[in-house]
Amino acid sequence: MINLLDLDAADLAAFFAGLGEKPFRAKQVSHWVHQRLVDDVGAMTDVSKALRGRLAAAAQIRGPAVVSDTTAADGTRKWLLDVGGGNAVETVYIPEDDRGTLCISSQAGCALDCAFCSTGRQGFNRNLTTAEIVGQLWHANRALLADGVSANGRPERELLPPGGKARSAKGAPMTAPWIEQGRAPITNVVMMGMGEPLANYDRVRAALGVFLDDDAYGLSRRRVTLSTSGLVPALDRLRDDCPVALAVSLHAGNDALRDRLVPINRKYPLAALLAACVRYLDRAPRDFVTFEYVMLDGVNDAPAQAHELAALVRDIPCKFNLIPWNPFPGAGFRTSPRARILAFQSVLMDAGFVTTIRKTRGEDIDAACGQLAGRVQDRTRRAIRMRPVPAAPSVH
Ligand code: SAH
Ligand code: SF4
């Protein structure tokens, strides 16, 4: 059985060609799956009954298996999704005034073993399939619509157009081509969940294609951001295949420190990574790279290190996003104090770089950056550790 969530536009076209059907069928079915968000081939009412029967015999729409669904005090919502073998991944919805962002995972675990990251700590389990990546967006849009959340924050039920029969898990109507009308709850995607997206290149690329496809989610390239720790050859491929907005996890301004914090730096050192960033900018939908920099007390947060960083990227159009480190047990790091983060920010700003400090979201449900562990077995231990671990300061 083919899972329709596994297919990008080219795959879907090939699938219908294989059935001896016209190419427009692929688009029609894509609208049903990704815009009307149905989970049943039988619900595709403008597809002939005969074709629906053939389709039902060969394909299904199989979304993720939800292990838990938790909403934080600030509205951040996290779904833990079972990916088999005792593993789970997390997907996180972050509502803001003018957008709804979904933070998507690309791997169960991660092999790159960055010293400060809890996903890295758990090791690598496996690559997610395209269906498991696309399924996170499909599921979040469905779940949010079912709860009456729309892109503009107004209750969706007030805006319901007539027609349609599909029902959500909770029984709320899910009828319209929400996305065509600009009201899908998720307006932005960040590939910043568990895993290194460029280490699962082919599947991530197919999923990005579905996110951008006007017959599917229709997101613009600037509303889709991929974050990488710096796999240089794959970054060049992304530039040629599907250049979305780029975030690069820098975390250090020299190779000696970055070798320690981000071990992949030993293979692709800073000079090679920054050269790849410049090449990427030829095609990028934005004219800058966002450099992410996790703030670790006494490790990489001294003013002199900010000066070193500014000099390093002097010639690259970029912005900085400073991330207060989110703690997890046994990591051996502390979050930089707020004053030190602000001082670091000032040095970068004075050097002419736009520098934001990431607001910590969803901490109370372990949904903040780098807190995504995602193992079903880990959940008891993680619940216990919530008490002794001090919360990261909330910096704006
Ligand atoms: N593997 C990719 C994307 C996932 S991580 C990457 O490394 O870029 C998303 C961001 O969260 C990265 O910048 C990562 O360095 C950062 N991060 C990881 N662990 C963190 C933690 N404990 N606290 C804050 N940020 C963390
Ligand atoms: Fe992997 Fe990114 Fe975590 Fe590093 S920071 S271990 S690349 S998920």
Side-chain angles (χ1 to χ4, degrees), residues 16 295 297 364:
F16 279 97
M295 299 300 296
D297 186 21
D364 50 332

Short mmCIF file of all heavy atoms in Angstrom, two decimals, residues 16 295 297 364:
data_model
loop_
_atom_site.label_atom_id
_atom_site.label_comp_id
_atom_site.label_asym_id
_atom_site.label_seq_id
_atom_site.Cartn_x
_atom_site.Cartn_y
_atom_site.Cartn_z
N PHE A 16 -0.02 8.18 -10.97
CA PHE A 16 -1.24 8.21 -11.77
C PHE A 16 -0.98 7.78 -13.21
O PHE A 16 -1.83 7.14 -13.83
CB PHE A 16 -1.92 9.58 -11.69
CG PHE A 16 -2.73 9.70 -10.44
CD1 PHE A 16 -2.22 10.32 -9.31
CD2 PHE A 16 -3.99 9.11 -10.36
CE1 PHE A 16 -2.95 10.38 -8.14
CE2 PHE A 16 -4.73 9.17 -9.18
CZ PHE A 16 -4.21 9.81 -8.08
N MET A 295 23.81 30.01 23.64
CA MET A 295 24.58 30.75 24.64
C MET A 295 24.89 29.85 25.84
O MET A 295 24.00 29.51 26.64
CB MET A 295 23.79 31.98 25.09
CG MET A 295 23.49 32.98 23.98
SD MET A 295 24.95 33.67 23.16
CE MET A 295 25.73 34.56 24.49
N ASP A 297 27.12 29.37 29.19
CA ASP A 297 27.81 30.16 30.21
C ASP A 297 29.28 29.77 30.32
O ASP A 297 29.61 28.61 30.58
CB ASP A 297 27.09 29.94 31.55
CG ASP A 297 27.63 30.82 32.66
OD1 ASP A 297 28.25 31.86 32.34
OD2 ASP A 297 27.42 30.47 33.84
N ASP A 364 7.76 24.57 29.58
CA ASP A 364 7.07 23.76 30.57
C ASP A 364 6.62 22.41 30.02
O ASP A 364 6.24 21.52 30.77
CB ASP A 364 5.90 24.54 31.22
CG ASP A 364 4.97 25.18 30.19
OD1 ASP A 364 5.45 25.49 29.09
OD2 ASP A 364 3.79 25.35 30.49
#
